[in-house]
């Protein structure tokens, strides 16, 4: 699939105010600073579509982008940023939980994991939360340009082993770099295949 058109629609903190739910939607979530907004810009080939930052905690709201006038990409605020107040963490939890539990047109959630680090409990817990709520997901390893292929392969395998302790079947897995564009066509083809499935229903 090629992206011909990517338009920012709206940011908000309440799933009830999200755009109408008649189009398929794909959400991007993961720890703060893992590269969610950068991945959205890489996929859409628009460096300034989603706001990115070297500092964690940049994305604060639920951001909808309309793609090819046919489906939504959603950029979400990250979890696990240590330097936030308890109140801020609780309001994040409420906003995100409500979004995931109630958003009816959500087709798939891409959970981003930093390819350079060992499995983190917070990521495994978030995957379990999605699984327990019956939300379809894929795992996307980010920033692979920062290390060599064998290091990436080792970390991906360790993560898969950790997931296998909790999951009977592994989800689809993507290996990406927002700097080099690695993984772009695989993710877009995957979204296209899901969109086609929905349209044929
Ligand atoms: P929050 O919105 O704060 O939760 O962060 P985020 O997950 O949206 O991360 P963001 O896209 O803002 O990227 C965080 C930092 O990582 C930025 O400095 C990016 O330039 C950098 N980054 C993101 N993806 C990649 C990548 O694939 N390779 C490299 N080398 N850097 C990346
Ligand atoms: Mg962001």
């Amino acid at each position: 699939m090629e992206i011909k058109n990517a338009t920012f629609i709206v940011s908000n903190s309440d799933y009830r105010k999200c755009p109408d739910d008649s189009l398929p939607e794909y959400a991007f979530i993961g720890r703060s600073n893992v590269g969610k907004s950068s991945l959205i810009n890489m996929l859409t080939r628009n460096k300034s579509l989603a706001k990115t930052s070297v500092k964690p905690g940049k994305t604060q709201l639920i951001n909808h982008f309309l793609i090819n006038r046919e489906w939504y990409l959603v950029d979400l605020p990250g979890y696990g940023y240590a330097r936030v107040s308890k109140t801020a963490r609780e309001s994040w939890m409420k906003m995100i939980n409500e979004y995931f539990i109630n958003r009816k047109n959500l087709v798939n959630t891409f959970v981003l994991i930093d390819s350079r680090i060992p499995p983190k409990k917070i990521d495994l817990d978030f995957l379990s939360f999605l699984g327990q709520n019956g939300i379809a997901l894929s795992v996307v390893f980010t920033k692979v340009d920062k290390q060599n292929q064998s290091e990436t392969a080792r970390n991906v395998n360790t993560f898969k082993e950790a997931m296998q302790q909790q999951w009977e079947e592994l989800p689809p897995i993507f290996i990406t770099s927002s700097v080099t564009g690695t993984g772009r066509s695989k993710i877009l083809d995957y979204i296209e295949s899901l969109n086609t499935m929905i349209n044929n229903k």
Side-chain angles (χ1 to χ4, degrees), residues 33-38 52-54 57-59 143 145-146 178:
N33 211 45
V34 70
K36 301 172 291 294
S37 303
S38 302
T52 65
S53 167
V54 288
K58 178 70 181 173
T59 311
K143 308 192 185 184
D145 60 282
K146 291 202 174 199
S178 296

Side-chain angles (χ1 to χ4, degrees), residues 29-42 50-60 75-79 81 92 112 116 141-146 176-181:
I29 185 89
R31 279 194 309 129
S32 198
N33 211 45
V34 70
K36 301 172 291 294
S37 303
S38 302
L39 183 68
I40 287 176
N41 292 345
M42 183 270 262
K51 293 203 180 75
T52 65
S53 167
V54 288
K55 286 190 237 149
K58 178 70 181 173
T59 311
Q60 300 268 348
D75 191 16
L76 294 165
Y79 49 77
Y81 179 36
W92 179 92
L112 277 61
R116 298 168 300 169
F141 291 94
T142 64
K143 308 192 185 184
V144 299
D145 60 282
K146 291 202 174 199
T176 68
S177 162
S178 296
V179 171
T180 64

Side-chain angles (χ1 to χ4, degrees), residues 72-188:
Y72 291 116
L73 275 184
V74 179
D75 191 16
L76 294 165
Y79 49 77
Y81 179 36
R83 276 197 238 158
V84 293
S85 65
K86 193 164 170 246
T87 332
R89 196 164 308 153
E90 278 165 5
S91 73
W92 179 92
M93 281 268 283
K94 184 172 184 290
M95 169 168 81
I96 295 299
N97 285 3
E98 287 187 351
Y99 167 80
F100 279 111
I101 289 164
N102 296 299
R103 190 69 176 155
K104 294 200 173 57
N105 57 332
L106 183 61
V107 176
N108 190 65
T109 299
F110 293 95
V111 181
L112 277 61
I113 307 286
D114 190 323
S115 65
R116 298 168 300 169
I117 56 166
K120 292 244 186 236
K121 183 173 183 299
I122 196 166
D123 290 321
L124 295 165
D125 286 351
F126 196 81
L127 289 165
S128 298
F129 159 75
L130 293 177
Q132 278 157 12
N133 287 288
I135 295 159
L137 64 94
S138 318
V139 171
V140 176
F141 291 94
T142 64
K143 308 192 185 184
V144 299
D145 60 282
K146 291 202 174 199
Q147 65 189 355
N148 65 41
Q149 278 183 13
S150 62
E151 284 168 310
T152 298
R154 194 175 59 230
N155 288 339
V156 168
N157 276 331
T158 311
F159 195 87
K160 281 188 188 168
E161 280 162 19
M163 268 196 93
Q164 271 159 343
Q165 314 262 331
Q166 293 170 7
W167 295 74
E168 268 173 42
E169 231 179 283
L170 288 177
I173 286 174
F174 299 94
I175 307 288
T176 68
S177 162
S178 296
V179 171
T180 64
T182 301
R184 181 176 183 273
S185 55
K186 288 212 168 107
I187 292 183
L188 291 180

